[in-house]
Amino acid sequence: MRPLQICPSILSADFAALGEDVRAVMAAGGDIVHVDIMDGHFVPNISFGPDVMKSIRKVTDKVFDVHLMISPVDPYIEAFARGGADVITVHAEAGPHLHRSLQAIRALGKRAGVSLNPATPESVLEYVMDDVDLILVMTVNPGFGGQKFIPSGLEKLRRIRQMIGDRPIDLEVDGGVTADNAGAIAAAGANWLVAGSAVFKGGPSAYASNIEAIRRAALAARGELV
Ligand code: DX5
Ligand code: ZN
């Protein structure tokens, strides 16, 4: 099993104090910073761009996991790579040339991820399995934090975990993740758990216990709770 990572989605952070809030959530036990980039075109919401990401890159040494919900995506990959992304994930639905986008990410020395919307079948991954380092299964329709987990994602995770076999690919889940469903998600094979509202609820004093609750539920399902 690949290591479990809890990835706070900073879409739920306080944008008026973004750097401070990112620092606080990572100090509270977040493993990986999940950065949601939205364009108001591929998804019905706008977040922020590479310059904002670059400025928050300075507050932590943790891995930056950049989830690009933008179309077209290819013209922006380099800006996010230069802005300090470690993993860059594109949506399979965002353009006709998924393989080219993945190649472009790896050519910049970054780990390449592909994300699937809830209605997209895992078969789109079949011919890119050797071109990805991470697969992100959306369990809400992308665009907003705080939505309800779509349960059919669990079956999709199980199927993709089978497809991955022993390849060095991380399986990430994003959308509606809470301490209540983290066990089922981890049992289905996901090892990177993104959570926005479930991590940021209650403000900074609650971040550590929120993260710990998700982690413990997932570790228990993996048989790793000590
Ligand atoms: C949704 C984003 C998610 C979102 C998760 O489009 O990709 O990362 O912020 O938020 P929660 O955990 O609240 O569903
Ligand atoms: Zn995301």
Side-chain angles (χ1 to χ4, degrees):
M1 267 191 299
R2 295 179 66 77
L4 177 71
Q5 308 283 8
I6 308 298
C7 317
S9 161
I10 61 169
L11 190 61
S12 293
D14 176 0
F15 279 14
L18 190 53
E20 238 349 278
D21 221 13
V22 171
R23 197 192 317 267
V25 82
M26 300 317 283
D31 298 313
I32 287 172
V33 182
H34 183 80
V35 183
D36 287 305
I37 306 296
M38 303 176 173
D39 66 353
H41 168 72
F42 179 68
V43 290
N45 195 7
I46 298 173
S47 58
F48 52 82
D51 293 341
V52 171
M53 192 205 75
K54 191 175 177 182
S55 66
I56 50 175
R57 173 73 271 190
K58 295 178 200 132
V59 309
T60 172
D61 291 334
K62 303 272 181 166
V63 168
F64 264 48
D65 168 34
V66 180
H67 178 192
L68 298 180
M69 289 163 274
I70 64 179
S71 175
V73 66
D74 289 1
Y76 302 98
I77 289 171
E78 189 172 348
F80 286 99
R82 299 215 184 287
D86 299 292
V87 184
I88 299 179
T89 296
V90 300
H91 266 264
E93 308 85 359
H97 303 294
L98 175 60
H99 189 272
R100 176 181 292 152
S101 304
L102 297 170
Q103 276 186 315
I105 296 166
R106 281 189 168 174
L108 289 159
K110 307 300 178 184
R111 297 182 69 206
V114 57
S115 180
L116 308 185
N117 281 332
T120 302
E122 64 281 1
S123 55
V124 301
L125 300 168
E126 199 173 338
Y127 297 100
V128 294
M129 290 302 285
D130 293 322
D131 306 288
V132 296
D133 304 294
L134 175 134
I135 296 167
L136 194 176
V137 172
M138 289 304 303
T139 43
V140 298
N141 289 298
F144 304 94
Q147 302 182 81
K148 203 168 163 299
F149 181 84
I150 299 171
S152 60
L154 291 174
E155 178 60 20
K156 196 191 284 187
L157 288 170
R158 280 190 282 271
R159 293 186 191 179
I160 295 173
R161 177 44 73 192
Q162 289 288 321
M163 291 170 74
I164 288 173
D166 52 17
R167 291 181 178 88
I169 297 175
D170 289 300
L171 183 54
E172 181 173 36
V173 64
D174 184 7
V177 175
T178 66
D180 292 333
N181 58 25
I185 287 166
N191 67 302
W192 283 27
L193 274 57
V194 176
S197 43
V199 164
F200 284 88
K201 68 178 182 187
S205 64
Y207 294 168
S209 57
N210 291 344
I211 291 169
E212 191 58 14
I214 297 167
R215 191 188 307 282
R216 287 180 70 85
L219 285 174
R222 289 161 59 100
E224 293 176 344
L225 199 59
V226 284

